[in-house]
Amino acid sequence: MSKTKKDRVYSPKGVMKELKAVEWPGFKTLCKTSGIVVVFTLLFGAYFFICEVAASGLLNLIIKA
């Protein structure tokens, strides 16, 4: 029988054991992946800004016509 959410018990000892088992990234990997996240966030922001400007211009053309 599988455990449901009600059956799960999180003890501090179990949490600490799990945290020690986690393989944490090194500083170089952390900087690299954080840089990738920042770049993609800026790219998506620029994309949505361009879409917003284009949609606004299109709506202004439709309204004035």
Side-chain angles (χ1 to χ4, degrees):
M1 185 164 130
S2 66
K3 290 188 172 188
T4 62
K5 284 190 175 187
K6 287 183 178 181
D7 294 339
R8 294 181 183 158
V9 176
Y10 298 103
S11 66
K13 186 176 180 180
V15 171
M16 291 305 292
K17 181 180 175 185
E18 191 66 30
L19 283 175
K20 288 179 182 178
V22 172
E23 186 177 327
W24 299 101
F27 183 74
K28 194 173 186 178
T29 305
L30 184 65
C31 288
K32 184 178 178 182
T33 55
S34 295
I36 291 170
V37 169
V38 169
V39 167
F40 274 97
T41 301
L42 292 173
L43 288 174
F44 279 117
Y47 171 75
F48 287 121
F49 176 75
I50 291 168
C51 289
E52 179 70 27
V53 169
S56 178
L58 184 62
L59 284 175
N60 283 335
L61 284 174
I62 292 171
I63 292 172
K64 288 182 182 179

